[in-house]
Amino acid sequence: MGAQQRNVDPEKDFAPPNFTIKELRDCVPKHCFERDTLRSFSYVLYDLCGVAFFAFCASHISMLPLSLRIPAWILYWVCQGVVCTGIWVIAHECGHGAFSANRTINNVTGWVLHSALLVPFYSWKYTHSQHHKNTNNMTRDEVFVPRTKSYRGLQDKPSTPSWITETIFEEAPAYHLFKVVLQSLFGWPSYLIRNASGPKYARGASHFNPNSVLFRPETFWNIVISDIGLLIAGSVLAYYSIMYSAATVICYYGIPYLVVNFFLVTITYLQHTDATVPHYSDDSWNFVRGALCTVDRDYGWILNVCLHHINDTHVAHHVFSQMPHYHAQEATEHLKKKLGKYYYYDDTNFLYALYHNYRHCQFVEDSGDVLFFRNTSVPIVSVTDTKND
C-alpha cells in the first residue's frame, strides 16, 4: 500500500481475516523468538553512546560563528531526539518482556530508561498491554480510539470515506497542520496526565495515580515506583537547572524531549490510523484481527535504524510482542507471504501521511461490525460523473 493507491477503495469486498495465532507463529522461524540479553544491552550501549556524542557536540556549539549556532542547535535537537526515541523503543521492549527472558532485568532496565525520559514505566506498561490485547477494538482499545460521528456532533454532516482524497476542504489546511503539531508535541504528556485519546471509560484518568481506574489494586505499589522514578529524574533536571541554568537544561534535554514526544505520538498514531485499516466492534473483533490492524511504514533507512525498526516491523510486533526487535525484520518477511492482502504497508513520506491521515481520518460511524474512517469533506464530482448519474 503506497501513496499511489490512496484512492483504491479498501472497503470493497473487505472480509475480516481468519488466521489463527498458531498459523502465523508457524510461518516464522523459531530462532526469531529467542531473546539474547547481552545483544539487547548492546543496543542500549549503542544508543547511550549516541546520546553522549551529540551532547559532547552540543557543548562546543558556542565555539561556532554566531550565524551557525542556531542551525547547529536545531540539528542537535533533532539528532538527540531521534536517538532518545531509540532508547524509548528499547524500554518499550522491556515492557513487553522482549528485552530479556529474565523478568527482573526487563523491569529494572525499562524502569531506568523510561524514567530518564519522564515515562512512568509500570503505568505505561499496564495500559500499553491492554492496547496490545485489544488493538482496534472500538470499546476496549487504550489509545487513539476513533471518535464516533455523533460524539463529534456531526450527525448532520456528510460522511465521506477517508480514502477519497479528491475533496473540498471545509477548514483551512493551516488549522489541521496546527492541530497535528499540537498533538505530536503534547499528545504524549496529555495521554499520561488525562488519558487523552483513550477509551470512554477512562477519559480523564491519570497514569500517575495509583488508584486510577486504569489500574488494578494489586499494581498500586508498582505505580508508586513509577512515580518515584519520575521524581528522581525531575530532581536531577532541577539540580542541573540550578547548577547551569534552566535554559541549558531546556536546550540539552527539554527540546530533544519534545522531539521524542513527536516521534512517539507520530509512530503510534500512524501505526493504527489509516483509511485502509478497520476498527471492529466487540462482536467481530478477535486478537489476530486486531493485531493485523497495523501499518508498517518506511521512515527512511537512517530513521528506521535509529528507531530500531519499530515503524517498519510493527505488524510482527503486534502479533508477537515478546519478539526482540533484531529478529522482527526477518519475521516480517515471512509474515508478508502468509498474510498477503492483509499485510498493510505504506511507503508514503511519514510527515505527509501524518498530516493527510489527521485531516481525512476524522471519525467512524456510530454502529457497525467493521468500521472504516470517515470525514466531512465534500467529494469533488466531475462533469462526467454528473452526466452518468
Side-chain angles (χ1 to χ4, degrees), residues 262-263 266 270 298-299 303 348-355:
F262 168 81
F263 277 105
T266 297
L270 289 178
D298 185 359
Y299 284 21
L303 286 178
T348 305
N349 178 278
F350 76 96
L351 294 175
Y352 173 79
L354 177 61
Y355 172 80

Side-chain angles (χ1 to χ4, degrees), residues 233-278:
S235 298
V236 172
L237 292 174
Y239 171 79
Y240 278 101
S241 295
I242 294 171
M243 291 295 295
Y244 296 101
S245 81
T248 300
V249 172
I250 290 171
C251 284
Y252 278 87
Y253 182 94
I255 299 179
Y257 169 78
L258 291 179
V259 175
V260 173
N261 288 355
F262 168 81
F263 277 105
L264 171 60
V265 174
T266 297
I267 291 167
T268 307
Y269 178 76
L270 289 178
Q271 281 162 352
H272 306 293
T273 305
D274 195 90
T276 64
V277 175

Side-chain angles (χ1 to χ4, degrees), residues 195-215:
N195 207 37
S197 85
K200 289 182 180 179
Y201 81 90
R203 285 175 196 161
S206 171
H207 280 73
F208 308 111
N209 180 5
N211 294 311
S212 170
V213 67
L214 295 168
F215 312 120

Side-chain angles (χ1 to χ4, degrees), residues 94-357:
C94 294
H96 282 290
F99 185 86
S100 171
N102 184 294
R103 179 180 295 182
T104 300
I105 291 175
N106 283 320
N107 287 338
V108 173
T109 305
W111 179 79
V112 170
L113 296 179
H114 261 175
S115 296
L117 295 171
L118 301 182
V119 178
F121 175 69
Y122 286 105
S123 309
W124 161 85
K125 175 183 174 179
Y126 296 139
T127 57
H128 188 67
S129 174
Q130 291 304 309
H131 162 60
H132 270 259
K133 293 175 181 176
N134 300 285
T135 306
N136 278 39
N137 181 298
M138 280 297 298
T139 57
R140 300 200 304 271
D141 199 357
E142 287 290 332
V143 64
F144 288 120
V145 180
R147 301 313 189 227
T148 61
K149 189 175 184 181
S150 61
Y151 178 89
R152 291 196 177 277
L154 300 171
Q155 298 92 325
D156 299 326
K157 294 281 188 177
S159 291
T160 302
S162 294
W163 60 270
I164 297 176
T165 59
E166 295 178 353
T167 59
I168 300 171
F169 281 16
E170 291 194 343
E171 296 94 359
Y175 168 78
H176 293 286
L177 182 61
F178 170 75
K179 294 283 284 184
V180 166
V181 172
L182 202 64
Q183 171 184 282
S184 299
L185 294 180
F186 304 107
W188 172 241
S190 182
Y191 169 71
L192 293 178
I193 294 168
R194 60 182 186 88
N195 207 37
S197 85
K200 289 182 180 179
Y201 81 90
R203 285 175 196 161
S206 171
H207 280 73
F208 308 111
N209 180 5
N211 294 311
S212 170
V213 67
L214 295 168
F215 312 120
R216 296 176 180 176
E218 60 268 26
T219 66
F220 181 95
W221 288 110
N222 281 343
I223 308 307
V224 172
I225 291 172
S226 296
D227 293 344
I228 291 172
L230 299 187
L231 288 173
I232 293 172
S235 298
V236 172
L237 292 174
Y239 171 79
Y240 278 101
S241 295
I242 294 171
M243 291 295 295
Y244 296 101
S245 81
T248 300
V249 172
I250 290 171
C251 284
Y252 278 87
Y253 182 94
I255 299 179
Y257 169 78
L258 291 179
V259 175
V260 173
N261 288 355
F262 168 81
F263 277 105
L264 171 60
V265 174
T266 297
I267 291 167
T268 307
Y269 178 76
L270 289 178
Q271 281 162 352
H272 306 293
T273 305
D274 195 90
T276 64
V277 175
H279 283 73
Y280 293 99
S281 68
D282 275 333
D283 292 336
S284 58
W285 182 92
N286 62 43
F287 173 80
V288 174
R289 288 178 180 178
L292 297 181
C293 292
T294 305
V295 183
D296 282 348
R297 296 182 182 274
D298 185 359
Y299 284 21
W301 72 268
I302 294 178
L303 286 178
N304 291 347
V305 171
C306 291
L307 301 176
H308 303 299
H309 293 278
I310 190 69
N311 51 292
D312 62 347
T313 63
H314 208 69
V315 174
H317 170 66
H318 260 268
V319 178
F320 311 117
S321 61
Q322 286 192 320
M323 177 184 289
H325 74 274
Y326 41 80
H327 292 316
Q329 285 179 282
E330 181 182 352
T332 296
E333 293 305 314
H334 292 279
L335 282 173
K336 282 182 186 178
K337 298 173 184 177
K338 181 67 176 179
L339 295 175
K341 67 179 182 180
Y342 292 108
Y343 172 73
Y344 296 110
Y345 175 82
D346 194 350
D347 58 5
T348 305
N349 178 278
F350 76 96
L351 294 175
Y352 173 79
L354 177 61
Y355 172 80
H356 177 279
N357 289 7

